[in-house]
DNA sequence: TCTAAAACATGATTTAAAGCATAATTTGGA
DNA sequence: TCCAAATTATGCTTTAAATCATGTTTTAGA
């Protein structure tokens, strides 16, 4: 942990910047109940069924949130980037986690103690209302996702995932390479298809000149065409 | 409207009972900004893209919430029963509706003015936290739904829908007939399949002795078998 | 550096579900 | 009451996607 040189103070300020209308006393309370830890690429941060111990925040790295599906097939529900919260749904619903979180790169994870946070929310209605708004917005995404994952065809689903990854992580300096490097399996689990079909469809996009592939590096050559494929289903 | 004899006072009390920790001043504020209206079976209560004017509550009847899908195929997202809120996601996210609401039977709909409600929430953190919990719980349902709708096979999806309808509306006095009468098309749109397949699969369940069908009347003869079909996918 | 395992790639086959056609039944207005 | 439209029902065909098979490449650990 310590040997990875986590800048706790910096992480703390980053996390606090996500809260609106945080009073100085509340901030101090959080500081005293704030822990950070390091996760190596591939490590599990929490598992489906675990009980949330607090509000989890990713301050460095990338994390996937996934649910184990019917035939052992995973479904990636969310991709997290810094600085952002994860696992808050279970915390606020007062339930155990219904999905697992795994580091896709070396990551820094901070936790605000559950009890302390809920005490603050009970006193700060404006802050709670902001969080309510975020969760409501995410529920909207989730509902949209349900429809597209069930109704779009394979090409549309994969195209949508690629656009989603670009929106989430952006491009590298070349302005074309998506700034995340997923396995074909993860790409498939994000798009509700088998790994074979993810590979096949990526190859097709490459042959059509929409993408350029180099291992896990995905360069978007024709954004408009990709968007058209996504929209048509 | 009036000729349908809406008991506004009774509706008002019912709606207020859904709020936790509501102060008497707040209750009075709601009363003065509370309207009720009657919707005949089949009437649209709000449409995708409309702007929420307030918090909508169903105090009598049944309502389906659905999104228009890719090929004009609808996806039913939620089934509402009295007394319960609908359309609150858009309100709290400060967005337009992303789904439409339609009365499945003659229904009474009450609305609490948007501004008044938000003012109350800004002052009442405990109430806001309760709502946050509800929305977080629903986000969990939505995430589960995404996985089952995408990964279960047709029989599993339909069986799950029937169990969901039983959980939502319960049984008639005979303890077997599901207390909601949907068209095959609605049943299909709830279960992410074509109408043909809903009809076919219902017939199959009937032949297997799991259900007894009489028009839109669905009698569950073998709950355990139905649950087994749902669980196996 | 070598080797085993994992990931990637591509083609062939199977299958679940959609689509299409036709007909019977029910429903809701004129 | 009658008729047109909508809904329900069933069989057949097509198709999108999963599954299976095989081979290649890459990666990570001994």
């Amino acid at each position: 942990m310590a040997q990875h040189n986590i800048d706790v103070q910096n992480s703390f300020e980053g996390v606090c910047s996500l809260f609106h209308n945080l009073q100085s006393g509340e901030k101090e309370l959080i500081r005293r109940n704030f822990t950070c830890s390091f996760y190596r690429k591939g490590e599990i941060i929490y598992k489906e069924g675990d009980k949330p111990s607090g509000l989890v925040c990713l301050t460095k790295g990338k994390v996937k949130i996934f649910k184990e599906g019917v035939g052992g097939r995973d479904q990636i529900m969310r991709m997290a980037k810094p600085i952002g919260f994860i696992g808050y749904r279970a915390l606020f619903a007062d339930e155990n986690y219904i999905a697992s979180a795994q580091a896709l790169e070396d990551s820094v994870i901070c936790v605000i103690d559950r009890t302390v946070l809920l005490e603050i929310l009970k006193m700060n209605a404006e802050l709670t209302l902001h969080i309510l708004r975020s969760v409501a917005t995410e529920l909207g995404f989730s509902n949209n996702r349900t429809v597209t994952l069930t109704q779009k065809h394979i090409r549309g689903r994969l195209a949508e995932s690629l656009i989603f990854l670009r929106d989430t992580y952006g491009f590298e300096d070349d302005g074309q390479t998506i700034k995340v490097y997923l396995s074909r399996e993860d790409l498939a689990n994000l798009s509700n298809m088998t790994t074979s079909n993810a590979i096949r469809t990526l190859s097709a996009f490459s042959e059509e000149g929409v993408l350029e592939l180099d291992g896990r590096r995905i360069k978007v050559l024709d954004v408009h065409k990709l968007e058209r494929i996504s929209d048509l289903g």
Side-chain angles (χ1 to χ4, degrees), chain A residues 158-175:
Chain A
L158 185 62
E160 186 178 278
S161 289
L162 294 174
I163 291 169
F164 163 74
L165 290 173
R166 184 224 30 200
D167 290 342
T168 305
Y169 297 111
F171 284 135
E172 298 284 0
D173 292 338
D174 66 1

Side-chain angles (χ1 to χ4, degrees), chain A residues 96-178:
Chain A
N96 289 345
Y97 291 118
I98 58 167
S100 306
Q102 183 176 24
L104 290 169
E105 317 176 343
D106 292 356
S107 298
V108 174
I109 293 290
C110 304
V111 179
I112 300 170
D113 177 77
R114 179 182 177 284
T115 315
V116 165
L117 182 81
L118 291 181
E119 277 309 313
I120 290 173
L121 292 188
K122 258 182 220 163
M123 298 180 314
N124 191 333
E126 204 159 319
L127 174 56
T128 309
L129 198 54
H130 264 285
I131 294 174
L132 173 57
R133 183 195 283 201
S134 307
V135 176
T137 303
E138 190 179 336
L139 179 55
F141 278 115
S142 176
N143 287 343
N144 275 326
R145 199 173 158 64
T146 300
V147 174
T148 58
L149 281 184
T150 53
Q151 297 199 353
K152 281 188 184 179
H153 286 180
I154 277 205
R155 289 168 56 89
R157 296 205 300 272
L158 185 62
E160 186 178 278
S161 289
L162 294 174
I163 291 169
F164 163 74
L165 290 173
R166 184 224 30 200
D167 290 342
T168 305
Y169 297 111
F171 284 135
E172 298 284 0
D173 292 338
D174 66 1
Q176 295 196 108
T177 303
I178 299 174

